[in-house]
Amino acid sequence: MSKESVFTQIIKDNEGVIFKITTVYTDNREDQKDLYQEIVYQLWKAFDRFRGDSKISTWMYRVALNTAITRLKKEKRKGNQVGIDKVIMKQTEYYDTEFEEKLKILYSHIQGLNELEKGLMLLLLEGKKYEEIASITGLSASNVGTKISRIKSKLKSQIVKN
Amino acid sequence: MELEEMQAVWADLSSQLEKQKKLTDKMIIMMTQEKYKKKWNRIAYPEILGTIICYGVAILILINIGKLDNWYTLLSGLISVVVLLILPVLSLRSIFRMRKLNIAENDYKDTLMQYAKGKKRFQSSMKLGYYLGFILMFAIMPVTTKLLNNKDLFTETTKIWPFLISIPLAVVFMIFFSKWVYKSYNRNIIEAENLIKDLEE
């Protein structure tokens, strides 16, 4: 199997994950598309150096989250962003309105978190264990635990406010 | 919405996305091609254009420096040149720093740390750029009057009233604008500092 075909298969297997990361870190459709392309490009660039020391998913999350963060930095230079509503409404073809509404609430909660918390929350929602979150983020597992419980209380207070 | 419910919604979303895979091999390979560089250039081009304009004006002043025949227009000319040379450097530096980031090797914490530091640095340099722009606005007035109309703004101006109106207006505008800029930049710097503290804990 050629390098290209291995890579394209990895991307195809994980396209949903990349999509979710781009939704959390952008607030309009065009930026989301750009970030998606950028993540795939960065994964391709990094693919040669992937030695299999970590799980492919760990490596992928790390590169994708790092790309999203560096992208954020570029975006801060622009301004005039469109609200998250516009992204969610169009994201998949099969949504029912109730699900869409729930998703909107979920994203609004995530948007209320800071950059670090957004990444942690995303990994938590992806069902990652603290150890894996730690190896993706570079934080210690205990630190991940502390920060996640802080996120939980932050979310609770957001819910109370609403 | 409780965390458990959020996880359930997320799982639903994941399975929906799993069902509707859209990417083809060709699309993936396309994404890895030169397109990315074009996108990056979209951000860099306006900055480079701004740099060309600033440096162009600076060169124009330097070529005609001999025409600035008294100490105050000469001083204004030199201040303008210095500001015009510094302004683009402030902005371009942050873009090139960003390019140096090693996305593949760094972990999320390192990238976030660099992001927060970069954000803080960028906001500070933008603030500095803003104040330099303020200085440039006044410094370049006697220079352009001299170079374009061959007139000394301070001694050969016959009508003072346009200046009496426009200068205070410009100053008032700049004061209010600077306060607003300062506030928003400060908020961003504080956010970046908090993120750094959070990561260093």
Side-chain angles (χ1 to χ4, degrees), chain B residues 136-152:
Chain B
L136 181 67
M137 187 177 91
F138 287 102
I140 210 156
M141 281 197 318
V143 182
T144 46
T145 315
K146 186 72 194 174
L147 296 183
L148 298 176
N149 302 324
N150 198 23
K151 269 190 177 176
D152 186 327

Side-chain angles (χ1 to χ4, degrees), chain A residues 4 7-8 11-16 19-20 24-25 30 34 36-38 40-42 44 46 49 62-63 65-67 69-70 72-74 76-78 91-95 99 102-103 105-107 109-110 114-122 124-126 136-139 143 147 150 152 155-156 159, chain B residues 1-3 5-14 16-29 31-33 35-37 39-40 42-43 47 91-92 94-95 97-98 101-112 114-119 121-123 126 188 191 195 197-199 201:
Chain A
E4 275 87 357
F7 179 74
T8 49
I11 298 298
K12 278 200 240 170
D13 291 345
N14 294 286
E15 65 179 83
F19 180 87
K20 284 179 275 182
V24 168
Y25 280 98
E30 204 193 324
D34 282 353
Y36 201 109
Q37 290 190 327
E38 217 168 309
V40 174
Y41 170 76
Q42 292 296 344
W44 173 249
R49 276 169 286 170
R62 189 182 291 160
V63 175
L65 287 172
N66 285 346
T67 310
I69 288 293
T70 42
L72 257 187
K73 206 161 139 185
K74 290 177 200 170
K76 293 277 172 196
R77 306 167 63 79
K78 290 197 206 161
Q91 76 185 354
T92 73
E93 292 147 16
Y94 312 109
Y95 283 168
F99 181 70
K102 279 183 182 171
L103 201 58
I105 296 168
L106 169 61
Y107 278 119
H109 285 313
I110 297 175
N114 70 29
E115 282 88 1
L116 169 67
E117 293 166 340
K118 271 183 194 168
L120 292 172
M121 181 70 184
L122 188 132
L124 186 70
L125 290 172
E126 283 290 295
I136 293 168
T137 56
L139 298 166
N143 203 357
K147 290 196 189 310
R150 208 184 293 165
K152 284 180 185 170
L155 288 173
K156 266 195 191 135
I159 293 160
Chain B
M1 189 185 270
E2 295 289 331
L3 185 64
E5 201 184 341
M6 287 182 190
Q7 279 169 325
V9 174
W10 198 260
D12 270 358
L13 172 67
S14 303
Q16 299 250 25
L17 289 169
E18 199 58 34
K19 275 184 223 155
Q20 53 160 76
K21 297 209 161 184
K22 285 174 181 167
L23 287 183
T24 62
D25 291 8
K26 198 179 162 205
M27 280 161 78
I28 295 166
I29 297 300
M31 284 186 212
T32 64
Q33 307 296 318
K35 270 178 96 178
Y36 170 79
K37 277 178 193 146
K39 278 185 200 313
W40 189 84
R42 211 173 55 188
I43 299 162
E47 304 290 344
S91 159
L92 284 176
S94 71
I95 289 185
R97 275 211 183 111
M98 219 151 60
L101 274 182
N102 190 343
I103 286 167
E105 305 293 325
N106 289 351
D107 57 38
Y108 186 60
K109 184 186 166 189
D110 288 338
T111 312
L112 267 175
Q114 288 182 38
Y115 159 74
K117 283 180 183 163
K119 184 173 160 185
R121 216 168 23 223
F122 177 68
Q123 300 289 357
M126 284 294 103
N188 278 314
E191 269 174 29
L195 185 61
K197 272 185 215 153
D198 206 16
L199 288 160
E201 264 175 26

